[in-house]
Coordinates of all heavy atoms in Angstrom, one line a residue:
M1 N -18.5 31.8 -58.2 CA -17.5 31.3 -59.1 C -16.1 31.7 -58.5 O -15.9 32.9 -58.2 CB -17.6 31.9 -60.5 CG -16.7 31.4 -61.5 SD -17.1 32.0 -63.1 CE -15.6 31.7 -63.9
K2 N -15.2 30.7 -58.4 CA -13.9 31.0 -57.9 C -13.0 31.5 -59.0 O -13.0 31.1 -60.1 CB -13.3 29.7 -57.3 CG -13.9 29.3 -56.0 CD -13.2 28.1 -55.5 CE -13.8 27.6 -54.2 NZ -13.1 26.4 -53.6
S3 N -12.1 32.5 -58.6 CA -11.1 33.0 -59.6 C -9.9 32.1 -59.5 O -9.5 31.7 -58.4 CB -10.8 34.4 -59.3 OG -10.2 34.5 -58.0
S4 N -9.3 31.8 -60.6 CA -8.1 31.0 -60.6 C -6.9 31.9 -60.4 O -6.9 33.1 -60.8 CB -7.9 30.3 -62.0 OG -7.9 31.2 -63.0
F5 N -5.9 31.4 -59.8 CA -4.6 32.1 -59.5 C -3.6 31.7 -60.5 O -3.3 30.5 -60.6 CB -4.2 31.8 -58.1 CG -2.9 32.5 -57.7 CD1 -2.9 33.8 -57.2 CD2 -1.7 31.8 -57.8 CE1 -1.8 34.4 -56.9 CE2 -0.5 32.5 -57.4 CZ -0.6 33.8 -57.0
S6 N -2.9 32.6 -61.1 CA -1.9 32.3 -62.1 C -1.0 33.5 -62.3 O -1.4 34.7 -62.4 CB -2.5 31.9 -63.4 OG -1.5 31.7 -64.4
L7 N 0.3 33.3 -62.2 CA 1.3 34.3 -62.5 C 2.3 33.7 -63.5 O 2.7 32.6 -63.4 CB 2.1 34.7 -61.2 CG 1.4 35.3 -60.1 CD1 2.3 35.4 -58.8 CD2 0.9 36.7 -60.4
K8 N 2.6 34.5 -64.5 CA 3.6 34.0 -65.5 C 4.6 35.1 -65.9 O 4.1 36.3 -66.0 CB 2.9 33.6 -66.8 CG 2.0 32.3 -66.6 CD 1.6 31.7 -67.9 CE 0.6 30.6 -67.8 NZ 0.9 29.5 -67.0
S9 N 5.8 34.8 -66.0 CA 6.9 35.7 -66.4 C 7.8 35.0 -67.3 O 8.1 33.9 -67.1 CB 7.6 36.2 -65.1 OG 6.8 36.9 -64.2
E10 N 8.3 35.7 -68.3 CA 9.3 35.2 -69.2 C 10.5 36.1 -69.1 O 10.4 37.3 -69.2 CB 8.8 35.2 -70.7 CG 7.8 34.2 -70.9 CD 7.4 34.1 -72.4 OE1 8.3 34.2 -73.2 OE2 6.2 33.9 -72.6
I11 N 11.7 35.5 -68.8 CA 12.9 36.3 -68.6 C 14.1 35.4 -69.0 O 14.2 34.2 -68.7 CB 13.0 36.7 -67.2 CG1 14.1 37.7 -67.0 CG2 13.2 35.6 -66.2 CD1 14.0 38.6 -65.8
N12 N 15.0 36.0 -69.8 CA 16.2 35.3 -70.3 C 15.9 33.9 -70.9 O 16.6 33.0 -70.7 CB 17.2 35.2 -69.2 CG 17.8 36.5 -68.8 OD1 18.0 37.4 -69.6 ND2 18.2 36.6 -67.5
G13 N 14.8 33.8 -71.6 CA 14.5 32.6 -72.3 C 13.9 31.5 -71.4 O 13.7 30.4 -71.8
L14 N 13.5 31.9 -70.2 CA 12.9 31.0 -69.2 C 11.5 31.4 -68.9 O 11.1 32.6 -69.0 CB 13.7 31.0 -67.9 CG 15.2 30.6 -67.9 CD1 15.8 30.8 -66.6 CD2 15.4 29.2 -68.5
L15 N 10.6 30.4 -68.6 CA 9.3 30.7 -68.2 C 9.1 30.4 -66.7 O 9.5 29.3 -66.3 CB 8.3 29.8 -69.0 CG 6.8 29.9 -68.5 CD1 6.3 31.2 -68.8 CD2 6.0 28.8 -69.2
I16 N 8.7 31.4 -66.0 CA 8.4 31.2 -64.6 C 6.9 31.3 -64.4 O 6.3 32.3 -64.8 CB 9.1 32.3 -63.7 CG1 10.6 32.3 -64.0 CG2 8.8 32.2 -62.3 CD1 11.4 33.5 -63.5
S17 N 6.3 30.2 -63.9 CA 4.9 30.1 -63.8 C 4.5 29.7 -62.4 O 5.1 28.8 -61.8 CB 4.4 29.0 -64.8 OG 3.0 28.8 -64.6
T18 N 3.5 30.4 -61.8 CA 2.9 30.0 -60.5 C 1.4 29.8 -60.7 O 0.8 30.7 -61.2 CB 3.2 31.1 -59.5 OG1 4.6 31.3 -59.4 CG2 2.7 30.7 -58.1
V19 N 1.0 28.6 -60.4 CA -0.5 28.3 -60.5 C -0.9 27.6 -59.2 O -0.2 27.0 -58.5 CB -0.7 27.4 -61.7 CG1 -0.4 28.1 -63.0 CG2 0.0 26.1 -61.6
K20 N -2.3 27.7 -59.0 CA -2.9 27.0 -57.9 C -3.4 25.7 -58.4 O -4.2 25.7 -59.4 CB -4.0 27.8 -57.3 CG -4.6 27.2 -56.1 CD -5.6 28.1 -55.4 CE -6.1 27.4 -54.1 NZ -7.2 28.2 -53.5
I21 N -3.0 24.6 -57.8 CA -3.5 23.3 -58.2 C -4.1 22.7 -56.9 O -3.4 22.3 -56.0 CB -2.4 22.4 -58.7 CG1 -1.7 23.0 -59.9 CG2 -2.9 21.0 -59.0 CD1 -0.4 22.4 -60.3
G22 N -5.4 22.6 -56.8 CA -6.1 22.2 -55.6 C -5.9 23.2 -54.5 O -6.2 24.4 -54.7
K23 N -5.2 22.8 -53.4 CA -4.9 23.7 -52.3 C -3.5 24.1 -52.3 O -3.0 24.8 -51.4 CB -5.3 23.0 -51.0 CG -6.8 22.8 -50.8 CD -7.1 22.2 -49.5 CE -8.6 22.0 -49.4 NZ -9.0 21.5 -48.1
V24 N -2.7 23.7 -53.3 CA -1.3 24.0 -53.4 C -1.0 25.0 -54.5 O -1.5 24.9 -55.6 CB -0.5 22.7 -53.6 CG1 1.0 23.0 -53.8 CG2 -0.7 21.7 -52.5
Y25 N -0.1 26.0 -54.2 CA 0.4 26.9 -55.1 C 1.8 26.4 -55.6 O 2.6 26.2 -54.7 CB 0.5 28.3 -54.5 CG -0.8 29.0 -54.1 CD1 -1.3 28.8 -52.9 CD2 -1.5 29.7 -55.0 CE1 -2.5 29.3 -52.5 CE2 -2.7 30.3 -54.6 CZ -3.2 30.1 -53.4 OH -4.4 30.7 -53.0
E26 N 2.0 26.2 -56.8 CA 3.2 25.7 -57.3 C 3.9 26.7 -58.3 O 3.3 27.2 -59.2 CB 3.0 24.4 -58.0 CG 4.2 23.7 -58.5 CD 4.0 22.3 -59.0 OE1 3.7 22.2 -60.2 OE2 4.1 21.3 -58.2
T27 N 5.2 26.9 -58.0 CA 6.0 27.8 -58.8 C 7.0 26.9 -59.5 O 7.7 26.1 -58.9 CB 6.7 28.9 -58.0 OG1 5.7 29.7 -57.3 CG2 7.6 29.8 -58.9
M28 N 7.1 27.1 -60.9 CA 8.1 26.3 -61.6 C 8.8 27.2 -62.6 O 8.3 28.2 -63.1 CB 7.4 25.2 -62.5 CG 6.7 24.2 -61.7 SD 5.8 23.0 -62.7 CE 7.3 22.0 -63.2
V29 N 10.1 26.9 -62.7 CA 11.0 27.6 -63.7 C 11.3 26.6 -64.8 O 11.9 25.5 -64.5 CB 12.3 28.1 -63.1 CG1 13.1 28.8 -64.1 CG2 11.9 29.1 -61.9
L30 N 10.9 26.9 -66.0 CA 11.1 26.0 -67.2 C 12.0 26.6 -68.2 O 11.9 27.8 -68.5 CB 9.8 25.6 -67.8 CG 8.7 25.0 -66.9 CD1 7.4 25.0 -67.6 CD2 9.1 23.6 -66.5
D31 N 12.9 25.8 -68.8 CA 13.7 26.4 -69.9 C 12.9 26.3 -71.2 O 11.8 25.9 -71.2 CB 15.1 25.7 -70.0 CG 15.0 24.2 -70.4 OD1 14.0 23.7 -70.8 OD2 16.1 23.6 -70.3
Q32 N 13.5 26.6 -72.3 CA 12.8 26.7 -73.6 C 12.3 25.4 -74.1 O 11.4 25.3 -74.9 CB 13.7 27.4 -74.6 CG 14.0 28.8 -74.3 CD 14.9 29.5 -75.3 OE1 15.6 28.8 -76.1 NE2 15.0 30.8 -75.3
I33 N 12.9 24.3 -73.7 CA 12.5 23.0 -74.1 C 11.7 22.2 -73.1 O 11.3 21.1 -73.3 CB 13.7 22.1 -74.7 CG1 14.7 21.9 -73.6 CG2 14.2 22.7 -75.9 CD1 15.8 21.0 -74.0
G34 N 11.3 22.9 -72.0 CA 10.4 22.3 -71.0 C 11.1 21.7 -69.8 O 10.3 21.1 -69.0
N35 N 12.4 21.7 -69.7 CA 13.0 21.1 -68.5 C 12.8 22.0 -67.3 O 12.8 23.2 -67.4 CB 14.5 21.0 -68.7 CG 14.9 20.0 -69.8 OD1 14.4 18.9 -69.9 ND2 15.8 20.4 -70.7
E36 N 12.5 21.3 -66.2 CA 12.2 22.0 -64.9 C 13.6 22.4 -64.3 O 14.4 21.5 -64.0 CB 11.5 21.1 -63.9 CG 10.1 20.8 -64.4 CD 9.4 19.8 -63.5 OE1 9.8 19.7 -62.3 OE2 8.4 19.2 -63.9
L37 N 13.8 23.7 -64.1 CA 15.1 24.1 -63.5 C 14.9 24.3 -62.0 O 15.8 24.1 -61.2 CB 15.5 25.4 -64.1 CG 15.8 25.4 -65.6 CD1 16.3 26.7 -66.1 CD2 16.8 24.3 -65.9
K38 N 13.6 24.6 -61.5 CA 13.3 24.8 -60.1 C 11.8 24.6 -59.9 O 11.0 25.1 -60.7 CB 13.8 26.2 -59.7 CG 13.7 26.5 -58.2 CD 14.3 27.8 -57.9 CE 14.4 28.0 -56.4 NZ 15.2 29.2 -56.0
T39 N 11.5 24.0 -58.8 CA 10.1 23.9 -58.4 C 9.9 24.2 -56.9 O 10.7 23.8 -56.1 CB 9.6 22.4 -58.7 OG1 9.8 22.1 -60.0 CG2 8.1 22.3 -58.3
M40 N 8.9 25.0 -56.6 CA 8.6 25.3 -55.2 C 7.1 25.2 -55.0 O 6.3 25.5 -55.9 CB 9.0 26.8 -55.0 CG 10.5 27.1 -55.2 SD 10.9 28.8 -55.2 CE 11.0 29.1 -53.5
A41 N 6.7 24.8 -53.8 CA 5.3 24.6 -53.5 C 4.9 25.2 -52.2 O 5.8 25.1 -51.2 CB 4.9 23.2 -53.6
T42 N 3.7 25.7 -52.0 CA 3.2 26.2 -50.7 C 1.7 26.2 -50.7 O 1.1 26.1 -51.8 CB 3.7 27.7 -50.5 OG1 3.3 28.1 -49.2 CG2 3.2 28.6 -51.6
T43 N 1.2 26.3 -49.5 CA -0.3 26.3 -49.4 C -0.8 27.8 -49.2 O -2.0 28.0 -49.0 CB -0.8 25.4 -48.3 OG1 -0.1 25.8 -47.1 CG2 -0.5 24.0 -48.6
Y44 N 0.1 28.7 -49.2 CA -0.2 30.1 -48.9 C -0.1 31.0 -50.1 O 1.0 31.0 -50.7 CB 0.6 30.7 -47.7 CG 0.4 29.9 -46.4 CD1 1.3 29.0 -46.0 CD2 -0.7 30.1 -45.7 CE1 1.2 28.3 -44.8 CE2 -0.9 29.4 -44.5 CZ 0.0 28.5 -44.1 OH -0.2 27.8 -42.9
K45 N -1.1 31.8 -50.5 CA -1.0 32.6 -51.6 C 0.1 33.7 -51.6 O 0.8 33.9 -52.5 CB -2.4 33.3 -51.8 CG -2.5 34.2 -53.1 CD -3.9 34.8 -53.2 CE -4.0 35.6 -54.5 NZ -5.4 36.1 -54.6
V46 N 0.2 34.3 -50.4 CA 1.3 35.4 -50.2 C 2.6 34.8 -50.4 O 3.5 35.4 -51.1 CB 1.1 36.1 -48.9 CG1 2.3 37.0 -48.6 CG2 -0.2 36.8 -48.8
E47 N 2.9 33.6 -49.9 CA 4.2 32.9 -50.0 C 4.4 32.5 -51.5 O 5.5 32.6 -52.0 CB 4.3 31.7 -49.2 CG 5.7 31.1 -49.1 CD 5.8 30.0 -48.1 OE1 5.0 29.9 -47.2 OE2 6.8 29.2 -48.3
A48 N 3.3 32.1 -52.2 CA 3.4 31.8 -53.6 C 3.9 33.0 -54.4 O 4.7 32.9 -55.3 CB 2.1 31.3 -54.1
Q49 N 3.3 34.2 -54.1 CA 3.7 35.4 -54.8 C 5.1 35.8 -54.5 O 5.9 36.2 -55.4 CB 2.7 36.6 -54.4 CG 1.3 36.4 -54.8 CD 0.4 37.3 -54.2 OE1 0.6 37.7 -53.0 NE2 -0.7 37.7 -54.9
H50 N 5.5 35.5 -53.3 CA 6.9 35.8 -52.9 C 7.9 34.8 -53.7 O 8.9 35.2 -54.2 CB 7.1 35.6 -51.4 CG 8.6 35.7 -51.0 ND1 9.3 36.8 -50.9 CD2 9.4 34.7 -50.6 CE1 10.5 36.6 -50.5 NE2 10.6 35.3 -50.3
N51 N 7.5 33.5 -53.7 CA 8.3 32.6 -54.5 C 8.5 33.0 -55.9 O 9.5 32.8 -56.5 CB 7.7 31.2 -54.4 CG 7.8 30.5 -53.0 OD1 8.6 31.0 -52.2 ND2 7.0 29.5 -52.8
H52 N 7.4 33.4 -56.5 CA 7.4 33.8 -57.9 C 8.4 35.0 -58.1 O 9.2 35.0 -59.0 CB 6.0 34.2 -58.4 CG 5.9 34.5 -59.9 ND1 5.7 33.5 -60.8 CD2 6.1 35.6 -60.6 CE1 5.7 34.0 -62.0 NE2 5.9 35.3 -61.9
R53 N 8.2 36.1 -57.3 CA 9.1 37.2 -57.4 C 10.6 36.9 -57.1 O 11.5 37.4 -57.8 CB 8.6 38.3 -56.4 CG 7.4 39.0 -56.9 CD 7.1 40.2 -56.0 NE 7.0 39.9 -54.6 CZ 5.9 39.7 -53.9 NH1 4.7 39.7 -54.5 NH2 5.9 39.5 -52.6
N54 N 10.8 35.9 -56.2 CA 12.1 35.5 -55.9 C 12.8 34.8 -57.1 O 13.9 35.0 -57.4 CB 12.1 34.6 -54.7 CG 13.5 34.2 -54.2 OD1 14.4 35.0 -54.3 ND2 13.6 33.0 -53.7
C55 N 12.0 33.9 -57.8 CA 12.5 33.3 -58.9 C 12.8 34.2 -60.1 O 13.8 34.1 -60.8 CB 11.5 32.2 -59.4 SG 11.5 30.7 -58.4
V56 N 11.9 35.2 -60.3 CA 12.2 36.2 -61.3 C 13.5 37.0 -61.0 O 14.3 37.1 -61.9 CB 11.0 37.2 -61.4 CG1 11.3 38.4 -62.2 CG2 9.7 36.5 -61.9
A57 N 13.7 37.4 -59.8 CA 14.9 38.1 -59.4 C 16.1 37.2 -59.6 O 17.1 37.7 -60.1 CB 14.8 38.6 -57.9
Q58 N 16.0 36.0 -59.2 CA 17.2 35.1 -59.2 C 17.6 34.8 -60.7 O 18.7 34.8 -61.0 CB 16.8 33.7 -58.6 CG 17.9 32.7 -58.7 CD 17.6 31.4 -58.0 OE1 16.5 31.2 -57.5 NE2 18.5 30.4 -58.2
F59 N 16.6 34.6 -61.6 CA 16.9 34.2 -62.9 C 17.0 35.4 -63.9 O 17.3 35.3 -65.0 CB 15.9 33.2 -63.5 CG 16.1 31.8 -62.8 CD1 15.3 31.4 -61.8 CD2 17.0 31.0 -63.3 CE1 15.4 30.2 -61.2 CE2 17.2 29.7 -62.7 CZ 16.4 29.3 -61.6
A60 N 16.8 36.6 -63.3 CA 17.1 37.8 -64.1 C 18.5 38.0 -64.4 O 18.9 38.6 -65.4 CB 16.5 39.0 -63.4
I61 N 19.4 37.4 -63.6 CA 20.8 37.4 -63.7 C 21.2 36.3 -64.6 O 21.0 35.1 -64.3 CB 21.5 37.3 -62.4 CG1 21.1 38.5 -61.5 CG2 23.1 37.3 -62.6 CD1 21.5 38.3 -60.0
R62 N 21.7 36.5 -65.8 CA 22.0 35.5 -66.8 C 22.9 34.4 -66.3 O 22.7 33.2 -66.6 CB 22.6 36.1 -68.0 CG 21.7 36.6 -69.0 CD 22.3 36.7 -70.4 NE 21.3 37.0 -71.4 CZ 20.5 36.2 -72.0 NH1 20.6 34.9 -71.7 NH2 19.7 36.6 -72.9
K63 N 23.8 34.6 -65.4 CA 24.7 33.6 -64.9 C 24.0 32.5 -64.1 O 24.4 31.4 -63.9 CB 25.9 34.1 -64.1 CG 25.5 34.7 -62.8 CD 26.8 35.2 -62.1 CE 26.4 35.8 -60.7 NZ 27.5 36.2 -60.0
N64 N 22.7 32.8 -63.6 CA 21.9 31.9 -62.8 C 21.1 31.0 -63.7 O 20.4 30.1 -63.3 CB 21.0 32.6 -61.9 CG 21.8 33.2 -60.7 OD1 22.9 32.8 -60.4 ND2 21.3 34.3 -60.1
C65 N 21.1 31.2 -65.1 CA 20.3 30.5 -66.0 C 21.0 29.3 -66.5 O 21.9 29.4 -67.3 CB 19.9 31.4 -67.2 SG 18.9 32.8 -66.7
L66 N 20.7 28.1 -66.0 CA 21.3 26.9 -66.4 C 20.4 26.3 -67.5 O 19.3 26.0 -67.3 CB 21.4 25.9 -65.2 CG 21.9 24.5 -65.6 CD1 23.3 24.5 -66.1 CD2 21.7 23.6 -64.3
H67 N 21.0 26.1 -68.7 CA 20.2 25.5 -69.8 C 20.7 24.1 -70.0 O 21.9 23.9 -70.3 CB 20.3 26.4 -71.1 CG 19.7 27.7 -70.9 ND1 18.3 27.9 -71.1 CD2 20.2 28.9 -70.6 CE1 18.1 29.2 -70.8 NE2 19.2 29.8 -70.5
I68 N 19.9 23.2 -69.9 CA 20.2 21.8 -70.1 C 20.1 21.4 -71.6 O 19.1 21.7 -72.2 CB 19.3 20.9 -69.3 CG1 19.5 21.2 -67.8 CG2 19.6 19.4 -69.5 CD1 18.5 20.6 -66.9
V69 N 21.2 20.8 -72.1 CA 21.2 20.4 -73.5 C 21.2 18.9 -73.6 O 22.0 18.2 -72.9 CB 22.4 21.0 -74.3 CG1 22.4 20.5 -75.7 CG2 22.4 22.5 -74.2
R70 N 20.2 18.3 -74.3 CA 20.2 16.9 -74.5 C 20.5 16.4 -75.8 O 20.3 17.1 -76.8 CB 18.8 16.4 -74.1 CG 18.4 16.6 -72.7 CD 17.1 16.0 -72.4 NE 16.8 16.2 -71.0 CZ 15.8 15.7 -70.3 NH1 15.1 14.8 -70.9 NH2 15.6 15.9 -69.1

């Protein structure tokens, strides 16, 4: 049985999620209403972990948090 890969972090009202879909690891940053603020993809697990940590560090600073209002 294969283990699924998933990382999730919530910071400053944003959800940062990294999941494996097929052979691709996708990192997404979503605001509270589900708008995608940033998306990154890679085929390497180590790079996916780096992308996730990079997004957490980037969006930990409130001025980097762009919230879209519709």
Side-chain angles (χ1 to χ4, degrees):
M1 184 174 160
K2 290 184 178 180
S3 63
S4 61
F5 178 84
S6 176
L7 298 171
K8 294 194 189 300
S9 301
E10 290 186 39
I11 191 160
N12 288 330
L14 303 176
L15 173 65
I16 301 168
S17 175
T18 302
V19 294
K20 184 176 183 186
I21 303 170
K23 295 183 179 183
V24 176
Y25 296 90
E26 185 173 86
T27 301
M28 296 180 76
V29 180
L30 303 168
D31 67 9
Q32 292 177 345
I33 57 175
N35 292 316
E36 295 175 20
L37 303 180
K38 186 172 189 171
T39 303
M40 302 169 82
T42 183
T43 55
Y44 299 102
K45 183 177 182 177
V46 173
E47 189 174 340
Q49 292 167 330
H50 172 76
N51 288 346
H52 187 88
R53 287 190 304 265
N54 186 36
C55 286
V56 168
Q58 178 183 357
F59 289 98
I61 301 169
R62 277 203 173 272
K63 69 178 183 178
N64 290 336
C65 298
L66 171 67
H67 295 277
I68 298 169
V69 179
R70 291 184 183 194

